[in-house]
Amino acid sequence: MGCCTNCCSNCARFFIGTASIAVLICAVVAAVVVYKNQDDANWSSISTKNLPFVFILVAMALAVVTSVIGLLMICCQKQCLNITYLVLLIIVILFEIAVIVLAFVYSDDILDSIGDHWLDDSVNSTRRIFEEQFNCCGFNDAMLAEEQKLGICGTKTPTKNCYKAIEDSVNKNMKQLQIAIIVMCVVEIILLISAIYLVCSSKSQVSGIQYG
């Protein structure tokens, strides 16, 4: 029985070590990709409500820290590291669930924020770039008429407002965010199960030594 427990513990440690390296790499890559995509999306600098992207960056930072502790846990095999790793995993998973929920419900808030700030002087250059890129003018029909009247459209021959293009871009970014986080969350949950097993098996081994 002890041999079987040791074998399972070693397998759990091997999985945690391998998965921690994968999560470490994926978290860094995901954070860079999310930051770059948000930076490339012109609408993101118009919106003041980018909470999902803040949460994903925090979640990725926590995932990196957790992965490092996971690797230390494999090397040192200390019970305190096991518990610390377990607690951090729970925090990371909660953050990732929050990101998934925000990505589902926050799209409309982002669109409303873009509409509220569309004609702000501080975003004129960004607005013009977006209008030129998608050959559109104004956030909605009312703003299309206003921009045409003022002669401030980013394109000379606008045939439509920019709402549909912005909505599609926001939804695309939210969908990519959801997929990335769901995959990470599944991996983190499997790691959590392995960490729980290690903590429990370590306690059993300590109890066996004390009462053996």
Side-chain angles (χ1 to χ4, degrees), residues 57-72:
L57 292 176
V58 173
M60 293 301 100
L62 287 172
V64 169
V65 173
T66 304
S67 298
V68 172
I69 292 177
L71 293 173
L72 290 174

Side-chain angles (χ1 to χ4, degrees), residues 35 122 129 131 161 176:
Y35 180 81
S122 59
I129 291 171
E131 289 176 339
N161 64 54
Q176 291 174 344

Side-chain angles (χ1 to χ4, degrees), residues 42-62:
N42 293 313
W43 53 262
S44 67
S45 59
I46 300 176
S47 173
T48 58
K49 295 185 177 180
N50 295 317
L51 191 60
F53 301 103
V54 175
F55 265 66
I56 184 64
L57 292 176
V58 173
M60 293 301 100
L62 287 172

Side-chain angles (χ1 to χ4, degrees), residues 26-140:
C26 290
V28 173
V29 172
V32 171
V33 170
V34 167
Y35 180 81
K36 186 177 184 302
N37 285 346
Q38 187 190 11
D39 191 52
D40 290 344
N42 293 313
W43 53 262
S44 67
S45 59
I46 300 176
S47 173
T48 58
K49 295 185 177 180
N50 295 317
L51 191 60
F53 301 103
V54 175
F55 265 66
I56 184 64
L57 292 176
V58 173
M60 293 301 100
L62 287 172
V64 169
V65 173
T66 304
S67 298
V68 172
I69 292 177
L71 293 173
L72 290 174
M73 181 186 72
I74 300 307
C75 298
C76 301
Q77 298 185 16
K78 298 290 185 180
Q79 182 70 350
C80 60
L81 285 175
N82 291 353
I83 296 173
T84 302
Y85 181 70
L86 184 62
V87 172
L88 282 175
L89 268 178
I90 294 172
I91 294 173
V92 170
I93 291 171
L94 290 176
F95 257 95
E96 289 172 346
I97 292 173
V99 172
I100 294 170
V101 173
L102 284 172
F104 273 111
V105 303
Y106 223 70
S107 296
D108 289 341
D109 289 332
I110 293 174
L111 288 170
D112 290 342
S113 178
I114 293 171
D116 291 340
H117 298 280
W118 185 258
L119 292 177
D120 288 0
D121 292 337
S122 59
V123 299
N124 276 343
S125 59
T126 301
R127 175 178 54 78
R128 287 177 177 275
I129 291 171
F130 191 91
E131 289 176 339
E132 288 175 4
Q133 182 180 356
F134 291 95
N135 192 31
C136 60
C137 180
F139 179 74
N140 51 33

